[in-house]
C-alpha cells in the first residue's frame, strides 16, 4: 500500500490529489477534454483530448444523457436549455434519436418516414452539431425493428409472419424480419446516410433483435434460409426435445451475431474506424435469452456496452444492478465502459413516462450501478418535462461521478466466491420455465450473499478457470446449473482438483447442453452424490412440478448432529449442548427442524460424507387437529458435505433452498445458504462489515488501493418499488483482509470527504469505523 499519508483538505482537493497516485487508469480517469480536430466545422469527439493519450472515445466517455425524442419535439426542442443541462450534469456523451421507426432529419431513404412534426427542420443535425461544439460524443440512436403500414404494404415479405401468414405487430407497427432486406438493405442505407452526412461518433440501437422466441417467423426469407441450413421447415411449435427446434434456436442466435458484425462493418466503413455500432442490451439473462442476444459473445466483441436496464424488479431488488455490472465485466473485461439507461420517470409494471420517479429510487438504482462498475446515463422521455423533479438526481449525482470517476472505472473485484451462470442453461435447461428453474435459484443465492455481505462475482461457466486464476476465487457455486457440457464439467473438476471448493444445488451437471439428462450427475464423482433410476430430477415434467409446487415439508437436523440423541424426545426440551452441531447450522441452535416447502426423493451418497439435514415428508395443513408429523424422520439427504483428497470442501444441496429463498424470503433459508458458503471457504473472507441493516458491499482493488462500495438498502421499499425515502443506518466496522492490505495508511469517504476512524491494523488485516450511511458510501483505502 502507498505510504502517502492523508491530509486535512477539501473534498475536491482530496479527489484531485488521489488521481495523481500512480498510473492506475492511464487514460480513462481524466474528465473529457475538448476534442482536438474538426470535421465539417464540428469538433470530432473521436479524437483524444489533451492528456487523454490515444484511447478511442468509447473508452473514456463515461457519463451519458438522453432526451428520448417524441415526434412533437421537432416543434419544441430547446437546444439552448438542453445544452445547459448537459453541462450541469457533466455528461460526456449524448444519445440522440436519428431514425429507424421515424427519422428526425430529412432522410432520403425510401419508406424511412420523417417525424410527424419535422417539416423542413433537421432536428437530429442541430443536436449533433451542438453536442460536438460542446465537446460531447454522440451516439445516433436507432430503433430498427418496426415500421408503419405504408412500409408494410409496399414490402410485406420484409416483415415477420406467423404460421398462418399474419404479420406480427407491436402497438400499430409491424415487426420486421431479421432475415429480410429490411435488415440487409433498409437499415444499412440509413446507417450510411446518417454516418456520411452527420458524422456521429457511433450508433446505438434500442430494439435491434427483431421477433422474439415466441414469435417464430414463417416469411419466405426465413423458410428458404432455414431449409437451406437444416433441411427442414421452420418448426411450427416449441418442442425443446426436437432437434429441429433446437437447431432453430441456435440459428436465431447466430443471425443476431451476424447483424451485430454487419452493422459494425457498415458504420466503420461509412463513418471511420471508431464509428462503432452498439445494440442496446438488457440486464436480465432471461430476457436476453428470449430475444436471442448471446450475452457472452456480444460482451466479448463489443467495444462498449449500452445497457438498457432502467429499473429493478421487486423480486430482485436494487442489488441486482451491481450484480449485472459485475457479470458483464467478468465476461467483457474489467476495463470496459458500460453506460446504463437510468429512467428518471416512473418505470414499473405500468409506466408513467411523463411523471418523475421518486429521487430515492433513482439514486439507489444508480448507486448500485456504480458499485457494479456501470456508468450513468440519464434518460428522459420527451424534451418538455412538466414534472421537473426528473432532473434532481442527475444534477447532483452525475457531477459526483465526474469528481470520483477515477475510482469508479478500471478496477478489479476482490472476492472469493464465483456464482456460475450460462445462457445456454437458461435456454436448454430452463426452456419455457426459466424463471422457475434458473432465475429463482440464482436470485436466492444473490440475495443470501448480499444479506450476509459476502463478496462474489458472477462467472460464466466457460470462464471458471480463467476467472478463478485472475481473481483468486476459492469457491464456485452452481445454482441449479442443469445444462453443462463435458468440457465445462471438466473445468469445474480441475478447479476442485487444485483445491477449490464447490457448492452445487439441485440438478447441476445432470443434463447435457441440449437439456437431455445424463445417467447420473456429470459431477457425481466430485460431489459424491448419485441419482437412482426413476428419480424425479431425470423427468422434465416432474422436475418442473417439484419446483413449482409447495407443501408443508421440513428439514431435520440429522441425529448425529443433535448431540448423539437417537429416538424421540420432546421438542420442547432444550436438548444437549449444541457444540457438536455442524458449522452450517450456526444460528439454528434452538431448533431441530427448518421449514422447507419443497419435495425430495432418495439419492445415493458416497461413503465418508456428512449429512447435516434430512427430509421430513409432507405434514397435513388442515384441519389443525391433523397437523403433526406422520413421518418425523427419514434417511433422505437434503444436504451432503464432504472433503476431497486435496482438502477442498464440497457441498451438494438437494433441497432447493436457493429457489425457495428467492420466493419466500424465509431467513433460515438465507442463513443456511450463507453458512454453507462460509464453511466451504473456511470462513476466510476478504471483507467483513459488521453493523445494522441491509447493506450491499462491493470491494475492488485498483493500482495499490482498495475501493469499497456500501449501498444502504435498509428501506421499507427494499422489496417493493418505488422507494421514496432514504433511511440512515450505522455505525459499521469495516475490516479488509489479505496480504495486500499490509501498510494501509488511511481510509476516506468519497461521499463526505471525511477520514474514517482506524480501529485495527495488523498483519493481513486492517479495520476502520464508519459512523453512518444515508444512501451510499464509497471508501478509498490506501
Amino acid at each position: 500500500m502507498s505510504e502517502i499519508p492523508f491530509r486535512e483538505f477539501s473534498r475536491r482537493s482530496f479527489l484531485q490529489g488521489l488521481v495523481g497516485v500512480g498510473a492506475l487508469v492511464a487514460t480513462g480517469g481524466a474528465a473529457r477534454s475538448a476534442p482536438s480536430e474538426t470535421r465539417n466545422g464540428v469538433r470530432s469527439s473521436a479524437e483524444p483530448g489533451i492528456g487523454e493519450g490515444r484511447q478511442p472515445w468509447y473508452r473514456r466517455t463515461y457519463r451519458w444523457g438522453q432526451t428520448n425524442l417524441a415526434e412533437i419535439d421537432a416543434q419544441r426542442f430547446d437546444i439552448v436549455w438542453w445544452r445547459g443541462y448537459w453541462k450541469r450534469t457533466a455528461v460526456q456523451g449524448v444519445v440522440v434519436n436519428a431514425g429507424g421507426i421515424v427519422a428526425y432529419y430529412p432522410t432520403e431513404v425510401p419508406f424511412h418516414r420523417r417525424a410527424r412534426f419535422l417539416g423542413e427542420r433537421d432536428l437530429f443535425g442541430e443536436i449533433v452539431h451542438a453536442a460536438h461544439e460542446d465537446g460531447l460524443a454522440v451516439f445516433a440512436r436507432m430503433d430498427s425493428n418496426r415500421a408503419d403500414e405504408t412500409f408494410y404494404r409496399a414490402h410485406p415479405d420484409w416483415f415477420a409472419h406467423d404460421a398462418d401468414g399474419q404479420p406480427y405487430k407491436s402497438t400499430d407497427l409491424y415487426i420486421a424480419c431479421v432475415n429480410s432486406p429490411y435488415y440487409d438493405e433498409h437499415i444499412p442505407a440509413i446507417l450510411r446516410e446518417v454516418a456520411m452526412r452527420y458524422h456521429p461518433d457511433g450508433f446505438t440501437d434500442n430494439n435491434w433483435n427483431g421477433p422474439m422466441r415466441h414469435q417464430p417467423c414463417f416469411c419466405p426469407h426465413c423458410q428458404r434460409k432455414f431449409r437451406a441450413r437444416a433441411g427442414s421447415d421452420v418448426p411450427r411449435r416449441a418442442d425443446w426435445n426436437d432437434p429441429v427446434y433446437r437447431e432453430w434456436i441456435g440459428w436465431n442466435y447466430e443471425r443476431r451475431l451476424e447483424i451485430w458484425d454487419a452493422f459494425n462493418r457498415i458504420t466503420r466503413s461509412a463513418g471511420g474506424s471508431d464509428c462503432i455500432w452498439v445494440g442496446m442490451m438488457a440486464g436480465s439473462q432471461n430476457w436476453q435469452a428470449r430475444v436471442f442476444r448471446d450475452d457472452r459473445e456480444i460482451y466479448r466483441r463489443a467495444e462498449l456496452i449500452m445497457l438498457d436496464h432502467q429499473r429493478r424488479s421487486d423480486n430482485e431488488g436494487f442489488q441486482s444492478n451491481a450484480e449485472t455490472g459485475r457479470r458483464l465485466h467478468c465476461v467483457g473485461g474489467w476495463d470496459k465502459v458500460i453506460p446504463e439507461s437510468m429512467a428518471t420517470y416512473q418505470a414499473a409494471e405500468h409506466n408513467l413516462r411523463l411523471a418523475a420517479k421518486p429521487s430515492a429510487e433513482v439514486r439507489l438504482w444508480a448507486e448500485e450501478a456504480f458499485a457494479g462498475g456501470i456508468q450513468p446515463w440519464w434518460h428522459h422521455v420527451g424534451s418538455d418535462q412538466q414534472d421537473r423533479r426528473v432532473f434532481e438526481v442527475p444534477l447532483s449525482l452525475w457531477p459526483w461521478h465526474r469528481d470520483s470517476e477515477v475510482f469508479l472505472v478500471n478496477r478489479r473485484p476482490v472476492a472469493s466466491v464465483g456464482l456460475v451462470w450460462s445462457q445456454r442453461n437458461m435456454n436448454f435447461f430452463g426452456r419455457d420455465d426459466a424463471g422457475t428453474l434458473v432465475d429463482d435459484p440464482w436470485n436466492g443465492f444473490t440475495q443470501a450473499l448480499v444479506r450476509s455481505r459476502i463478496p462474489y462475482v458472477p462467472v460464466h461457466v466457460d470462464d471458471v478457470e480463467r476467472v478463478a486464476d485472475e481473481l483468486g476465487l476459492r469457491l464456485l457455486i452452481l445454482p441449479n446449473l442443469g445444462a453443462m457440457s463435458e468440457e465445462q464439467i471438466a473445468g469445474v473438476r480441475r478447479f476442485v482438483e487444485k483445491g477449490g471448493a464447490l457448492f452445487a444445488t439441485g440438478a447441476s451437471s445432470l443434463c447435457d447442453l441440449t437439456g437431455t439428462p445424463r445417467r447420473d450427475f456429470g459431477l457425481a464423482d466430485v460431489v459424491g452424490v448419485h441419482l437412482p433410476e426413476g428419480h424425479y430430477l431425470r423427468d422434465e415434467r416432474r422436475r418442473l412440478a417439484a419446483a413449482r409446487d409447495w407443501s408443508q415439508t421440513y428439514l431435520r437436523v440429522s441425529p448425529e448432529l443433535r448431540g448423539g440423541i437417537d429416538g424421540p424426545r420432546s421438542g420442547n426440551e432444550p436438548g444437549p449442548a449444541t457444540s457438536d452441531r455442524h458449522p452450517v447450522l450456526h444460528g439454528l441452535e434452538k431448533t431441530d427442524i427448518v421449514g422447507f416447502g419443497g419435495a425430495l426423493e432418495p439419492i445415493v451418497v458416497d461413503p465418508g460424507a456428512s449429512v447435516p439435514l434430512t427430509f421430513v415428508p409432507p405434514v397435513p395443513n388442515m384441519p389443525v387437529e391433523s397437523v403433526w408429523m406422520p413421518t418425523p424422520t427419514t434417511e433422505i439427504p437434503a444436504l451432503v458435505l464432504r472433503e476431497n483428497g486435496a482438502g477442498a470442501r464440497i457441498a451438494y444441496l438437494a433441497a432447493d433452498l436457493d429457489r425457495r429463498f428467492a420466493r419466500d424470503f424465509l431467513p433460515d433459508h438465507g442463513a443456511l445458504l450463507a453458512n454453507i458458503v462460509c464453511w466451504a471457504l473456511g470462513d476466510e473472507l476478504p471483507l467483513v462489515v459488521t453493523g445494522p441493516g441491509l447493506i450491499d458491499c462491493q470491494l475492488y482493488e485498483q493500482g495499490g488501493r482498495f475501493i469499497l462500495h456500501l449501498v444502504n438498502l435498509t428501506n421499507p421499499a427494499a422489496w417493493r418499488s418505488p422507494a421514496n425515502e432514504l433511511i440512515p443506518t450505522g455505525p459499521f466496522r469495516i475490516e479488509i483482509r489479505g496480504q495486500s492490505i499490509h501498510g494501509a495508511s488511511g481510509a476516506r469517504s468519497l461521499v463526505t470527504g471525511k477520514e474514517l476512524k482506524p480501529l485495527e491494523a495488523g498483519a493481513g488485516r486492517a479495520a476502520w469505523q464508519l459512523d453512518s450511511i444515508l444512501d451510499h458510501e464509497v471508501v478509498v483505502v490506501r
Side-chain angles (χ1 to χ4, degrees), residues 456-467:
Y456 72 96
V457 290
V459 183
H460 192 277
V461 67
D462 287 330
D463 298 329
V464 292
E465 292 182 280
R466 174 185 64 82
V467 176

Side-chain angles (χ1 to χ4, degrees), residues 660-697:
R660 303 286 161 180
F661 187 51
R663 291 181 185 172
D664 302 331
F665 298 103
L666 294 182
D668 286 351
H669 293 178
L672 278 166
L673 293 173
N675 287 349
I676 297 168
V677 168
C678 290
W679 169 81
L681 288 171
D683 287 319
E684 295 182 12
L685 297 171
L687 173 70
V688 177
V689 177
T690 54
L694 177 60
I695 310 295
D696 190 9
C697 307

Side-chain angles (χ1 to χ4, degrees), residues 625-781:
E625 290 82 358
S626 66
V627 180
W628 73 82
M629 294 179 178
T631 309
T633 62
T634 71
E635 295 184 357
I636 300 176
L639 172 64
V640 179
L641 306 175
R642 64 188 294 263
E643 294 189 25
N644 67 6
R649 292 181 171 182
I650 300 165
Y652 171 70
L653 183 63
D656 60 344
L657 298 183
D658 44 4
R659 178 185 294 112
R660 303 286 161 180
F661 187 51
R663 291 181 185 172
D664 302 331
F665 298 103
L666 294 182
D668 286 351
H669 293 178
L672 278 166
L673 293 173
N675 287 349
I676 297 168
V677 168
C678 290
W679 169 81
L681 288 171
D683 287 319
E684 295 182 12
L685 297 171
L687 173 70
V688 177
V689 177
T690 54
L694 177 60
I695 310 295
D696 190 9
C697 307
Q698 305 296 334
L699 182 64
Y700 295 88
E701 195 168 12
Q702 180 203 62
R705 62 191 175 206
F706 291 98
I707 299 161
L708 174 62
H709 289 257
L710 302 162
V711 184
N712 180 13
L713 305 179
T714 311
N715 199 296
W719 304 111
R720 182 174 181 179
S721 64
N724 61 9
E725 64 175 330
L726 301 172
I727 302 172
T729 188
F732 298 94
R733 184 182 190 275
I734 298 168
E735 180 178 317
I736 299 176
R737 301 171 177 175
Q739 292 303 313
S740 55
I741 195 65
H742 179 70
S745 59
R748 186 176 286 249
S749 164
L750 295 183
V751 176
T752 66
K754 295 180 179 179
E755 188 170 357
L756 273 63
K757 176 183 177 181
L759 297 177
E760 178 184 347
R765 66 180 60 207
W768 295 267
Q769 178 172 310
L770 178 64
D771 292 333
S772 179
I773 305 173
L774 178 59
D775 51 344
H776 80 135
E777 269 293 353
V778 182
V779 178
V780 177
V781 177

Side-chain angles (χ1 to χ4, degrees), residues 255-311:
R255 178 54 180 159
R256 273 63 176 186
L257 290 175
E258 290 173 358
I259 290 170
W260 186 285
D261 293 340
F263 286 179
N264 266 282
R265 287 193 297 269
I266 291 165
T267 58
R268 290 176 187 267
S269 174
S273 60
D274 285 339
C275 186
I276 60 175
W277 180 93
V278 181
M280 295 184 193
M281 301 287 279
S284 164
Q285 296 181 51
N286 196 322
W287 180 264
Q288 293 286 89
R290 285 186 281 158
V291 295
F292 304 113
R293 299 174 185 164
D294 190 325
D295 274 359
R296 184 169 185 266
E297 289 304 315
I298 288 175
Y299 295 147
R300 284 157 54 121
R301 71 184 64 193
E303 300 284 5
L304 172 147
I305 299 170
M306 295 297 278
L307 186 59
D308 189 9
H309 189 42
Q310 300 186 27
R311 66 177 182 90

